[in-house]
Amino acid sequence: MDAITMTSVALGLSALAGLNLYLTVFTLGWAIRLGWLQLTPDMAALEVLSHPAILALAGFLVLVEFVADKIPWVDSLWDGIHTLIRPLGGIFLALGVVGVADPLIATIAGLAGGSLALSTHLSKSSARLLVNTSPEPFSNSAVSILEDVFVLAGVGLIVWNPWLALGLLILFVLLFIWLAPKILRHLLLTGHFLLSKIQSLTNTETIAETLSTQCPVWARQHIEKIKHSSETMIWIIPTVIDKIPSLPKNRCGYIFGLSTTGRIGVLVKGKNPVWITTQNTVAHIDSRFLYDELGLISQASKDATTLRFAKNLRPMVNALLCKFGPEQK
Protein backbone atom coordinates (compact mmCIF):
# COMPACT_ATOMS: atom_id res chain seq x y z
CA MET A 1 0.00 0.00 0.00
CA ASP A 2 1.49 3.34 -1.07
CA ALA A 3 1.74 6.33 1.24
CA ILE A 4 -1.19 8.22 -0.31
CA THR A 5 -3.50 5.21 -0.05
CA MET A 6 -2.43 4.55 3.53
CA THR A 7 -3.04 8.21 4.44
CA SER A 8 -6.48 8.13 2.84
CA VAL A 9 -7.49 4.93 4.65
CA ALA A 10 -6.15 6.09 8.04
CA LEU A 11 -7.64 9.58 7.99
CA GLY A 12 -10.85 8.56 6.23
CA LEU A 13 -11.67 5.88 8.80
CA SER A 14 -10.86 8.29 11.64
CA ALA A 15 -13.21 10.91 10.21
CA LEU A 16 -16.03 8.36 9.85
CA ALA A 17 -15.43 7.19 13.43
CA GLY A 18 -16.35 10.69 14.59
CA LEU A 19 -19.78 10.25 13.00
CA ASN A 20 -20.54 6.69 14.04
CA LEU A 21 -17.67 4.69 15.54
CA TYR A 22 -19.57 1.44 15.93
CA LEU A 23 -20.94 1.37 12.38
CA THR A 24 -17.48 2.19 11.04
CA VAL A 25 -15.91 -0.67 13.02
CA PHE A 26 -18.72 -3.08 12.09
CA THR A 27 -18.53 -2.27 8.37
CA LEU A 28 -14.72 -2.31 8.32
CA GLY A 29 -14.65 -5.63 10.17
CA TRP A 30 -16.89 -7.25 7.59
CA ALA A 31 -14.83 -5.73 4.74
CA ILE A 32 -11.73 -7.37 6.23
CA ARG A 33 -13.49 -10.67 6.94
CA LEU A 34 -14.87 -10.90 3.40
CA GLY A 35 -11.51 -9.98 1.85
CA TRP A 36 -12.65 -6.67 0.40
CA LEU A 37 -9.84 -4.87 2.24
CA GLN A 38 -6.44 -6.51 2.01
CA LEU A 39 -4.37 -5.80 5.10
CA THR A 40 -0.66 -5.10 4.81
CA PRO A 41 1.74 -6.24 7.58
CA ASP A 42 1.59 -2.71 9.06
CA MET A 43 -2.21 -2.99 9.27
CA ALA A 44 -2.20 -6.30 11.14
CA ALA A 45 -3.73 -4.63 14.20
CA LEU A 46 -6.99 -4.14 12.28
CA GLU A 47 -7.36 -7.90 11.84
CA VAL A 48 -9.00 -8.05 15.27
CA LEU A 49 -11.99 -6.10 13.90
CA SER A 50 -13.01 -9.16 11.85
CA HIS A 51 -13.20 -11.40 14.91
CA PRO A 52 -16.76 -12.71 15.47
CA ALA A 53 -16.83 -11.37 19.04
CA ILE A 54 -15.88 -7.86 17.90
CA LEU A 55 -18.42 -7.99 15.06
CA ALA A 56 -21.15 -9.13 17.46
CA LEU A 57 -20.36 -6.39 20.01
CA ALA A 58 -20.08 -3.72 17.31
CA GLY A 59 -23.33 -4.89 15.74
CA PHE A 60 -25.14 -4.68 19.08
CA LEU A 61 -23.82 -1.14 19.68
CA VAL A 62 -24.85 -0.18 16.14
CA LEU A 63 -28.42 -1.17 16.99
CA VAL A 64 -28.31 0.78 20.28
CA GLU A 65 -27.01 3.89 18.53
CA PHE A 66 -29.53 3.44 15.70
CA VAL A 67 -32.36 3.71 18.25
CA ALA A 68 -30.77 6.47 20.37
CA ASP A 69 -30.12 8.61 17.30
CA LYS A 70 -33.84 8.72 16.45
CA ILE A 71 -34.99 10.16 19.78
CA PRO A 72 -34.76 13.97 20.21
CA TRP A 73 -32.29 15.03 22.93
CA VAL A 74 -31.39 11.40 23.65
CA ASP A 75 -29.19 11.63 20.56
CA SER A 76 -27.46 14.72 21.99
CA LEU A 77 -26.94 12.94 25.33
CA TRP A 78 -25.47 10.00 23.41
CA ASP A 79 -23.16 12.36 21.52
CA GLY A 80 -22.06 13.94 24.79
CA ILE A 81 -21.12 10.53 26.20
CA HIS A 82 -19.09 9.78 23.05
CA THR A 83 -17.13 13.05 22.99
CA LEU A 84 -14.11 11.13 24.26
CA ILE A 85 -14.93 7.66 22.89
CA ARG A 86 -15.12 8.61 19.20
CA PRO A 87 -11.77 10.48 19.07
CA LEU A 88 -10.11 7.54 20.85
CA GLY A 89 -11.65 5.23 18.25
CA GLY A 90 -10.27 7.49 15.52
CA ILE A 91 -6.80 7.25 17.05
CA PHE A 92 -7.03 3.44 17.22
CA LEU A 93 -8.10 3.14 13.58
CA ALA A 94 -5.37 5.51 12.38
CA LEU A 95 -2.68 3.60 14.30
CA GLY A 96 -4.12 0.33 13.05
CA VAL A 97 -3.55 1.45 9.46
CA VAL A 98 -0.04 2.96 9.71
CA GLY A 99 1.29 0.62 12.40
CA VAL A 100 3.45 1.56 15.37
CA ALA A 101 6.88 0.50 14.09
CA ASP A 102 7.92 4.12 13.48
CA PRO A 103 7.11 6.21 16.59
CA LEU A 104 7.16 9.50 14.64
CA ILE A 105 4.68 8.31 12.01
CA ALA A 106 2.52 6.65 14.67
CA THR A 107 2.40 9.86 16.73
CA ILE A 108 1.48 12.00 13.71
CA ALA A 109 -1.17 9.49 12.61
CA GLY A 110 -2.66 9.30 16.10
CA LEU A 111 -2.88 13.06 16.49
CA ALA A 112 -4.34 13.52 13.00
CA GLY A 113 -6.82 10.66 13.43
CA GLY A 114 -8.02 11.88 16.81
CA SER A 115 -8.36 15.46 15.57
CA LEU A 116 -10.39 14.41 12.52
CA ALA A 117 -12.66 12.20 14.61
CA LEU A 118 -13.22 15.06 17.06
CA SER A 119 -13.95 17.45 14.15
CA THR A 120 -16.63 15.23 12.62
CA HIS A 121 -18.02 14.47 16.08
CA LEU A 122 -18.38 18.18 16.92
CA SER A 123 -19.95 18.86 13.51
CA LYS A 124 -22.46 16.06 14.06
CA SER A 125 -23.21 17.12 17.65
CA SER A 126 -23.78 20.73 16.65
CA ALA A 127 -26.08 19.72 13.78
CA ARG A 128 -28.06 17.45 16.10
CA LEU A 129 -28.51 20.23 18.65
CA LEU A 130 -29.85 22.45 15.87
CA VAL A 131 -32.23 19.73 14.67
CA ASN A 132 -33.47 19.12 18.22
CA THR A 133 -34.72 22.70 18.47
CA SER A 134 -37.11 22.13 15.56
CA PRO A 135 -40.72 21.50 16.63
CA GLU A 136 -41.26 18.33 14.57
CA PRO A 137 -39.66 14.95 15.48
CA PHE A 138 -39.06 13.53 11.99
CA SER A 139 -35.88 15.48 11.21
CA ASN A 140 -33.94 13.44 13.81
CA SER A 141 -34.69 10.19 12.01
CA ALA A 142 -33.90 11.68 8.60
CA VAL A 143 -30.56 13.10 9.74
CA SER A 144 -29.65 9.85 11.55
CA ILE A 145 -30.37 7.70 8.49
CA LEU A 146 -28.41 10.12 6.29
CA GLU A 147 -25.41 9.84 8.64
CA ASP A 148 -25.55 6.03 8.56
CA VAL A 149 -25.71 5.99 4.77
CA PHE A 150 -22.77 8.40 4.65
CA VAL A 151 -20.67 6.14 6.91
CA LEU A 152 -21.47 3.03 4.85
CA ALA A 153 -20.70 4.84 1.61
CA GLY A 154 -17.54 6.32 3.14
CA VAL A 155 -16.13 2.94 4.16
CA GLY A 156 -16.95 1.56 0.72
CA LEU A 157 -15.26 4.49 -0.99
CA ILE A 158 -12.14 4.13 1.20
CA VAL A 159 -11.90 0.42 0.30
CA TRP A 160 -12.48 0.79 -3.45
CA ASN A 161 -11.23 4.29 -4.31
CA PRO A 162 -9.00 5.75 -1.57
CA TRP A 163 -7.79 8.60 -3.79
CA LEU A 164 -11.30 9.96 -4.26
CA ALA A 165 -11.92 9.45 -0.55
CA LEU A 166 -8.82 11.52 0.26
CA GLY A 167 -10.01 14.34 -2.02
CA LEU A 168 -13.42 14.45 -0.31
CA LEU A 169 -11.70 14.37 3.09
CA ILE A 170 -9.62 17.42 2.18
CA LEU A 171 -12.81 19.25 1.17
CA PHE A 172 -14.37 18.36 4.52
CA VAL A 173 -11.34 19.69 6.42
CA LEU A 174 -11.53 23.00 4.54
CA LEU A 175 -15.27 23.21 5.18
CA PHE A 176 -14.79 22.43 8.87
CA ILE A 177 -12.16 25.17 9.22
CA TRP A 178 -14.66 27.64 7.76
CA LEU A 179 -17.54 26.40 9.92
CA ALA A 180 -15.56 25.85 13.15
CA PRO A 181 -16.32 29.29 14.68
CA LYS A 182 -20.04 28.87 13.92
CA ILE A 183 -20.07 25.34 15.34
CA LEU A 184 -18.30 26.44 18.53
CA ARG A 185 -20.62 29.43 18.96
CA HIS A 186 -23.67 27.20 18.50
CA LEU A 187 -22.40 24.68 21.09
CA LEU A 188 -21.65 27.44 23.61
CA LEU A 189 -25.08 29.02 23.13
CA THR A 190 -26.80 25.66 23.54
CA GLY A 191 -24.87 25.09 26.77
CA HIS A 192 -25.89 28.57 27.98
CA PHE A 193 -29.56 27.95 27.20
CA LEU A 194 -29.43 24.51 28.86
CA LEU A 195 -27.95 25.90 32.08
CA SER A 196 -30.53 28.69 32.08
CA LYS A 197 -33.34 26.16 31.67
CA ILE A 198 -32.03 24.12 34.59
CA GLN A 199 -31.78 27.30 36.66
CA SER A 200 -35.36 28.23 35.81
CA LEU A 201 -36.58 24.75 36.85
CA THR A 202 -34.65 24.66 40.13
CA ASN A 203 -35.26 28.27 41.21
CA THR A 204 -38.22 28.27 43.58
CA GLU A 205 -38.22 32.03 44.14
CA THR A 206 -40.87 34.10 42.41
CA ILE A 207 -39.33 36.62 40.04
CA ALA A 208 -41.28 39.79 39.44
CA GLU A 209 -42.11 40.64 35.84
CA THR A 210 -40.04 43.80 35.85
CA LEU A 211 -37.34 45.05 33.52
CA SER A 212 -33.78 45.71 34.67
CA THR A 213 -31.10 48.28 33.83
CA GLN A 214 -28.16 45.97 34.63
CA CYS A 215 -25.72 45.45 31.75
CA PRO A 216 -21.96 45.35 31.01
CA VAL A 217 -19.99 48.58 30.91
CA TRP A 218 -19.39 48.36 27.16
CA ALA A 219 -23.13 48.19 26.44
CA ARG A 220 -23.96 51.13 28.70
CA GLN A 221 -21.14 53.23 27.22
CA HIS A 222 -22.25 52.46 23.67
CA ILE A 223 -25.86 53.34 24.43
CA GLU A 224 -24.72 56.63 25.98
CA LYS A 225 -22.97 57.50 22.70
CA ILE A 226 -25.90 56.74 20.39
CA LYS A 227 -28.89 58.04 22.35
CA HIS A 228 -30.15 61.60 22.29
CA SER A 229 -29.00 63.86 25.10
CA SER A 230 -32.55 64.10 26.41
CA GLU A 231 -33.01 60.31 26.56
CA THR A 232 -32.21 57.84 29.28
CA MET A 233 -32.01 54.06 29.16
CA ILE A 234 -34.89 52.69 31.23
CA TRP A 235 -34.43 48.92 30.73
CA ILE A 236 -32.18 46.35 29.02
CA ILE A 237 -32.39 42.56 28.56
CA PRO A 238 -29.71 40.13 27.31
CA THR A 239 -30.76 38.32 24.15
CA VAL A 240 -29.45 36.15 21.32
CA ILE A 241 -29.95 37.30 17.74
CA ASP A 242 -31.83 34.84 15.56
CA LYS A 243 -33.19 36.92 12.70
CA ILE A 244 -32.72 40.66 12.44
CA PRO A 245 -31.47 42.81 9.56
CA SER A 246 -27.77 43.84 9.60
CA LEU A 247 -26.94 41.86 12.75
CA PRO A 248 -25.16 38.45 12.72
CA LYS A 249 -27.13 35.35 13.63
CA ASN A 250 -26.46 33.51 16.92
CA ARG A 251 -24.67 36.44 18.52
CA CYS A 252 -25.25 37.52 22.08
CA GLY A 253 -26.52 41.07 22.51
CA TYR A 254 -29.06 43.25 24.27
CA ILE A 255 -32.47 44.71 23.57
CA PHE A 256 -32.99 48.00 25.38
CA GLY A 257 -35.55 50.74 25.75
CA LEU A 258 -35.11 54.50 25.97
CA SER A 259 -37.31 57.07 27.64
CA THR A 260 -38.54 58.26 24.24
CA THR A 261 -41.85 56.54 23.56
CA GLY A 262 -41.68 53.81 20.95
CA ARG A 263 -37.89 53.68 20.61
CA ILE A 264 -36.35 50.24 21.24
CA GLY A 265 -32.89 49.16 20.14
CA VAL A 266 -31.02 45.88 19.64
CA LEU A 267 -27.29 46.01 20.32
CA VAL A 268 -24.44 43.61 19.53
CA LYS A 269 -20.87 44.40 20.51
CA GLY A 270 -18.95 45.94 17.62
CA LYS A 271 -22.10 46.60 15.54
CA ASN A 272 -24.37 49.58 15.10
CA PRO A 273 -27.71 49.12 16.88
CA VAL A 274 -30.90 48.24 15.02
CA TRP A 275 -33.95 50.27 16.00
CA ILE A 276 -37.40 48.76 16.30
CA THR A 277 -40.60 50.76 16.44
CA THR A 278 -43.31 49.57 18.79
CA GLN A 279 -46.07 51.14 16.69
CA ASN A 280 -47.82 48.77 14.28
CA THR A 281 -45.62 45.90 15.42
CA VAL A 282 -47.17 42.58 16.37
CA ALA A 283 -45.28 40.61 19.04
CA HIS A 284 -45.63 37.00 20.14
CA ILE A 285 -43.66 34.50 22.24
CA ASP A 286 -42.97 30.91 21.20
CA SER A 287 -41.78 28.62 23.98
CA ARG A 288 -39.04 26.29 22.69
CA PHE A 289 -37.44 23.47 24.64
CA LEU A 290 -34.29 25.39 25.60
CA TYR A 291 -35.28 29.03 25.11
CA ASP A 292 -38.14 31.44 24.54
CA GLU A 293 -38.39 33.06 21.13
CA LEU A 294 -39.79 36.56 20.70
CA GLY A 295 -41.12 37.27 17.22
CA LEU A 296 -41.78 40.83 16.02
CA ILE A 297 -43.57 41.57 12.75
CA SER A 298 -43.96 45.08 11.41
CA GLN A 299 -47.43 45.47 9.93
CA ALA A 300 -46.16 48.33 7.79
CA SER A 301 -43.07 46.74 6.20
CA LYS A 302 -43.85 43.07 6.97
CA ASP A 303 -40.25 42.70 8.21
CA ALA A 304 -39.79 39.92 10.75
CA THR A 305 -37.42 40.04 13.70
CA THR A 306 -36.71 37.06 15.97
CA LEU A 307 -34.85 37.17 19.27
CA ARG A 308 -34.08 34.32 21.66
CA PHE A 309 -34.06 34.55 25.45
CA ALA A 310 -32.86 32.18 28.16
CA LYS A 311 -35.66 30.45 30.06
CA ASN A 312 -34.83 32.18 33.33
CA LEU A 313 -35.54 35.55 31.67
CA ARG A 314 -39.16 34.72 30.84
CA PRO A 315 -40.60 37.20 33.41
CA MET A 316 -38.62 40.03 31.77
CA VAL A 317 -39.70 38.88 28.31
CA ASN A 318 -43.33 38.98 29.45
CA ALA A 319 -42.79 42.55 30.61
CA LEU A 320 -41.11 43.39 27.30
CA LEU A 321 -44.08 41.96 25.43
CA CYS A 322 -46.30 44.60 26.98
CA LYS A 323 -44.29 47.28 25.19
CA PHE A 324 -45.77 46.01 21.92
CA GLY A 325 -49.30 45.50 23.20
CA PRO A 326 -51.09 42.22 23.92
CA GLU A 327 -49.65 38.95 22.63
CA GLN A 328 -50.94 37.83 19.25
CA LYS A 329 -50.81 34.03 18.82
Side-chain angles (χ1 to χ4, degrees), residues 61-134:
L61 292 173
V62 166
L63 293 177
V64 173
E65 182 155 341
F66 183 82
V67 175
D69 265 359
K70 307 299 183 296
I71 306 174
W73 298 110
V74 173
D75 57 348
S76 292
L77 177 61
W78 184 264
D79 285 338
I81 295 172
H82 285 75
T83 300
L84 180 62
I85 298 174
R86 287 170 182 161
L88 288 176
I91 293 173
F92 168 79
L93 291 175
L95 292 179
V97 173
V98 304
V100 295
D102 189 326
L104 177 61
I105 294 178
T107 301
I108 294 174
L111 291 174
S115 298
L116 272 174
L118 181 61
S119 299
T120 51
H121 168 75
L122 291 178
S123 300
K124 171 184 177 175
S125 301
S126 181
R128 283 305 184 89
L129 287 172
L130 184 62
V131 169
N132 282 331
T133 59
S134 63

Side-chain angles (χ1 to χ4, degrees), residues 178-210:
W178 179 64
L179 289 175
K182 299 179 177 63
I183 293 174
L184 180 59
R185 188 181 304 117
H186 178 63
L187 291 174
L188 291 176
L189 283 176
T190 301
H192 166 68
F193 284 139
L194 179 59
L195 291 176
S196 299
K197 181 179 177 65
I198 295 173
Q199 181 181 356
S200 68
L201 294 175
T202 57
N203 189 1
T204 58
E205 297 181 2
T206 302
I207 303 176
E209 295 192 0
T210 56

Side-chain angles (χ1 to χ4, degrees), residues 7 12 46 57 74 90 136 151 175 207 266 273-274:
T7 301
L46 293 180
L57 177 60
V74 173
E136 46 77 31
V151 170
L175 180 62
I207 303 176
V266 180
V274 172

Side-chain angles (χ1 to χ4, degrees), residues 12 46 64 72 79 87 95 102 157 171 179 196 256 261 281 289 308 317 320:
L46 293 180
V64 173
D79 285 338
L95 292 179
D102 189 326
L157 188 61
L171 289 178
L179 289 175
S196 299
F256 61 93
T261 303
T281 298
F289 181 76
R308 294 174 177 173
V317 178
L320 171 61

